[in-house]
Amino acid sequence: FYKASCLSSFRMQELLKWNGWGYNDSKFIFNKKGQAEFTGKRYRLGGMVLPTFKEWIEKTFGASLEHKTTSRASLNVNDVPPSIVNEEFLQDLRATKISYSQDAEDRVFRAHGHCLHEIFVLREGMFKRIPDIVVWPVCHEDVVKIVELACKHNLCIIPFGGGTSVSSALECPEEEKRTIVSLDTSQMNRILWIDEKNLTACVEAGIVGQDLEKQLAESGFCTGHEPDSMEFSSLGGWVATRASGMKKNIYGNIEDLVIHIKMVTPRGIVEKNCQVPRMSTGPDIHHFIMGSEGTLGVVTEVTIKIRPVPEYQKYGSVVFPNFERGVACLREVAKQRCAPASIRLVDNAQFQFGHALKPQVASIFTSFLDGLKKFYITKFKGFDPNILCVATLLFEGDREKVLQHEKQVYDIATKFGGLAAGEDNGQRGYMLTFVIAYIRDLGLDYYVIGESFETSVPWDRVLDLCRNVKERIVRECKEKGVQFAPLSTCRVTQTYDAGACVYFYFAFNYRGISDPIHVYEQIERAAREEILANGGSLSHHHGVGKLRKRWMKESISDVGLGMLRSVKEYVDPNNIFGNKNLL
């Protein structure tokens, strides 16, 4: 094994859980006193006790600490399908000096993303098909060599970035008989140049979000692209899935940030001849690449817009008497085009959930509910804690402009019955974004399975879609024999001129159900059908993968799908990029 040069990837792999979300040292646990706490020092919640969380789990799911499931502590190498690699290919690969591994742990780590069923399989069984070999190119030229070898030996390549996919995009097709190569881009992680005059940077596609922002900040810049997965997801992955970031109101989504893309395909290299802000040269070839989900080739280098790091950042929050008023306020903010960097509205169930994650320490985490009780009679008169909802805000830019902007947004909120609820709640809301993904692993230990999914929807359908999808989830759970009412909750996370992005969480207690994953998948499918029936999209930013591709024809029309197929057939006639996503 040529492992020596793969330090950062292996270091990352050692730091991360092999069968759950995020860092090994960061997780929710119940301590000896039966109180929930979050371990590690990486997050502000680290080391803190969450006194009301246990009660919330018991009340919400009917779960009990007495009933614990056990997942396997470590990977059993004997369960892993053997690596089948053609010896001639290995000889050619060695000649390139590109690092590779056939080690079982390396292969399993890259055989999945983070869908519920994938994590469930890791905890209780093993995938039927995984990559046979992992390769680590360190630059664009290495990728060219790997793709040429794959064409020569007729292999299947599945590109791997940060591994945060939630669309089954990384799962290996079980029927694939060829050698499957996982092409891990993590060693392609350099900023190649920064152009301060044009405010652009050329970056290798394997860099992960937090490293990109950290390195740009050293020169006083940022991209401002902050998806919830930014600690682990890669630039190439953002391009391949048409990603969206939390602060897109200021910085734009990935399609707004990209100036130039270089991609290696079986036909050769795709790129434009200049780095300009806009071209009128037929349909934009970047739009074949963005959202192609690893089916056409490997993105190796991306030129993106950068901005000076904002001098001032301010959080905020607003409480509304109900979800309808909150949505109406977000609609007005969008109409006036004065949205802050981020504005997100959570429904009451999600507000209660966030409150259950409140640590014991006071300081910055002043309790929202305590504040509510205190002012309940006077200021918050008539607000019902079981109906109210909360918007969290983040403003960025010049101090003076931020303060003007803040006043404008709070003035609009007041017209819809909104009341300012403080900076701390806003800041806490955004901090929870990064730890919330860790909760699923704790749930799985106590027979609770959960997942998130998203959509985009026109403004006039937001309320109907939110209500109907949540009700459909509750109804489906009942019909499928789920004994305890599920958690079914949503938030409006992005606003646009013509609509919004809505993000759902749902979870249920699966005790007494013999095949929980099958039941879960039926419910998720019903929820997606409901979204489409209510005028929502197939996906706003998670992508299609293999999970949602059954609805592609309905989403983009028969002819539209045919157009994508013909691009695939031209660029990759032998299906070297055979992950079977999208089409």
Side-chain angles (χ1 to χ4, degrees):
F1 302 126
Y2 290 81
K3 272 194 179 174
S5 67
C6 294
L7 268 178
S8 62
S9 174
F10 282 95
R11 200 167 290 145
M12 201 59 177
Q13 188 176 328
E14 282 160 16
L15 291 176
L16 301 181
K17 297 186 185 77
W18 71 280
N19 64 351
W21 178 263
Y23 296 105
N24 277 320
D25 58 12
S26 305
K27 52 178 172 280
F28 285 95
I29 58 161
F30 288 112
N31 61 24
K32 292 198 171 76
K33 292 181 183 165
Q35 286 180 315
E37 59 178 272
F38 191 67
T39 63
K41 297 194 175 103
R42 292 177 192 276
Y43 301 92
R44 287 221 333 254
L45 206 57
M48 294 186 179
V49 171
L50 313 169
T52 61
F53 191 54
K54 172 174 175 265
E55 187 194 341
W56 179 83
I57 286 189
E58 290 172 339
K59 199 176 90 190
T60 308
F61 299 109
S64 151
L65 298 199
E66 268 67 82
H67 301 296
K68 196 170 194 278
T69 67
T70 46
S71 81
R72 292 177 313 173
S74 60
L75 179 66
N76 181 353
V77 180
N78 299 326
D79 293 343
V80 177
S83 162
I84 299 158
V85 182
N86 161 334
E87 191 50 49
E88 286 155 15
F89 163 66
L90 276 183
Q91 274 175 346
D92 284 353
L93 182 62
R94 284 185 200 114
T96 66
K97 299 282 192 282
I98 294 168
S99 305
Y100 72 88
S101 165
Q102 290 169 270
D103 180 70
E105 280 161 3
D106 296 337
R107 291 162 52 226
V108 170
F109 190 82
R110 290 158 187 82
H112 65 89
H114 282 273
C115 288
L116 174 69
H117 66 265
E118 293 170 306
I119 300 303
F120 213 83
V121 165
L122 285 173
R123 289 170 64 99
E124 312 220 335
M126 183 42 63
F127 301 104
K128 292 193 175 74
R129 189 76 172 91
I130 70 167
D132 296 294
I133 184 167
V134 181
V135 294
W136 285 274
V138 298
C139 60
H140 168 80
E141 287 70 26
D142 281 357
V143 174
V144 172
K145 289 175 195 167
I146 293 163
V147 173
E148 282 171 356
L149 287 182
C151 293
K152 176 181 169 184
H153 296 281
N154 190 25
L155 315 175
C156 171
I157 296 178
I158 299 185
F160 182 92
T164 58
S165 158
V166 283
S167 63
S168 307
L170 289 166
E171 280 187 78
C172 298
E174 283 177 24
E175 64 284 2
E176 182 57 77
K177 297 283 187 279
R178 300 174 295 177
T179 293
I180 297 179
V181 179
S182 174
L183 188 153
D184 183 321
T185 58
S186 60
Q187 303 311 293
M188 296 163 51
N189 54 20
R190 294 167 303 169
I191 295 176
L192 299 176
W193 48 257
I194 292 175
D195 179 340
E196 300 195 2
K197 287 200 174 105
N198 293 311
L199 286 179
T200 55
C202 183
V203 187
E204 290 179 317
I207 197 166
V208 297
Q210 61 174 337
D211 293 346
L212 175 59
E213 293 302 276
K214 207 180 287 165
Q215 288 178 40
L216 282 173
E218 287 166 14
S219 306
F221 297 104
C222 67
T223 66
H225 186 73
E226 294 187 9
D228 291 357
S229 61
M230 72 173 288
E231 299 167 281
F232 312 112
S233 58
S234 69
L235 172 58
W238 301 342
V239 169
T241 56
R242 286 181 67 87
S244 175
M246 185 162 86
K247 301 194 292 197
K248 74 100 197 141
N249 295 335
I250 292 184
Y251 302 99
N253 287 319
I254 195 69
E255 67 273 21
D256 307 305
L257 284 162
V258 165
I259 297 290
H260 186 263
I261 301 172
K262 193 188 273 193
M263 178 161 93
V264 180
T265 77
R267 278 269 181 202
I269 294 156
V270 191
E271 62 178 325
K272 296 179 183 178
N273 72 332
C274 54
Q275 309 228 356
V276 294
R278 186 174 190 276
M279 292 162 79
S280 174
T281 47
D284 189 342
I285 58 163
H286 283 169
H287 287 282
F288 288 125
I289 299 171
M290 286 190 277
S292 59
E293 301 192 6
T295 59
L296 300 177
V298 184
V299 174
T300 56
E301 294 172 12
V302 185
T303 303
I304 42 173
K305 298 177 192 174
I306 56 174
R307 303 286 307 159
V309 171
E311 65 168 72
Y312 191 62
Q313 221 185 25
K314 193 171 185 191
Y315 292 93
S317 60
V318 179
V319 60
F320 292 97
N322 56 41
F323 192 64
E324 291 74 15
R325 295 270 192 96
V327 170
C329 172
L330 264 61
R331 171 69 193 111
E332 186 58 31
V333 166
K335 197 186 275 179
Q336 294 192 25
R337 292 192 168 170
C338 64
S342 177
I343 178 166
R344 303 204 287 198
L345 179 77
V346 302
D347 69 5
N348 184 264
Q350 225 169 103
F351 159 69
Q352 306 275 2
F353 175 33
H355 181 68
L357 289 169
K358 196 186 139 280
Q360 217 157 15
V361 218
S363 71
I364 184 139
F365 303 98
T366 43
S367 163
F368 193 57
L369 268 187
D370 294 350
L372 271 186
K373 284 176 194 137
K374 207 183 294 170
F375 294 115
Y376 197 69
I377 314 300
T378 55
K379 210 171 171 186
F380 287 92
K381 198 160 189 224
F383 276 53
D384 181 338
N386 297 311
I387 299 175
L388 65 83
C389 73
V390 179
T392 52
L393 313 168
L394 171 61
F395 298 89
E396 269 187 17
D398 308 338
R399 189 163 191 277
E400 208 168 299
K401 280 191 188 141
V402 163
L403 297 175
Q404 283 171 349
H405 195 174
E406 185 184 39
K407 183 181 181 316
Q408 188 182 5
V409 171
Y410 281 113
D411 284 350
I412 294 171
T414 306
K415 289 181 186 141
F416 294 91
L419 292 160
E423 280 181 66
D424 292 351
N425 291 304
Q427 191 161 11
R428 234 183 101 238
Y430 288 103
M431 180 207 66
L432 288 178
T433 300
F434 296 107
V435 301
I436 227 157
Y438 287 91
I439 290 175
R440 181 166 75 185
D441 296 327
L442 177 76
L444 284 168
D445 289 339
Y446 296 95
Y447 291 95
V448 173
I449 52 182
E451 187 67 287
S452 63
F453 53 92
E454 42 69 57
T455 185
S456 46
V457 59
W459 279 114
D460 64 345
R461 304 270 181 99
V462 170
L463 289 174
D464 287 348
L465 182 136
C466 290
R467 185 188 61 246
N468 292 344
V469 172
K470 289 193 285 189
E471 285 174 2
R472 178 80 182 261
I473 288 169
V474 172
R475 202 163 66 238
E476 291 283 336
C477 282
K478 207 170 186 175
E479 284 169 15
K480 304 279 184 292
V482 174
Q483 290 165 17
F484 209 84
L487 173 72
S488 175
T489 168
C490 73
R491 64 174 190 247
V492 179
T493 64
Q494 302 279 26
T495 61
Y496 296 88
D497 288 349
C501 167
V502 180
Y503 206 95
F504 292 90
Y505 288 120
F506 93 92
F508 62 85
N509 181 338
Y510 70 86
R511 281 191 71 216
I513 293 174
S514 60
D515 189 353
I517 292 301
H518 179 62
V519 169
Y520 158 75
E521 284 173 346
Q522 287 179 307
I523 296 166
E524 185 187 41
R525 193 175 304 166
R528 182 58 60 186
E529 298 276 6
E530 191 67 35
I531 284 172
L532 296 171
N534 281 273
S537 68
L538 187 52
S539 173
H540 170 264
H541 61 269
H542 282 168
V544 176
K546 292 178 271 291
L547 192 63
R548 289 177 272 274
K549 72 176 181 176
R550 75 179 73 225
W551 293 289
M552 271 297 273
K553 190 153 97 178
E554 182 185 335
S555 291
I556 63 169
S557 82
D558 219 350
V559 178
L561 198 59
M563 289 163 78
L564 295 185
R565 280 212 178 95
S566 60
V567 172
K568 168 75 173 169
E569 277 157 25
Y570 175 75
V571 171
D572 185 15
N574 298 315
N575 196 28
I576 299 299
F577 288 90
N579 60 21
K580 296 222 163 152
N581 294 338
L582 286 174
L583 303 171

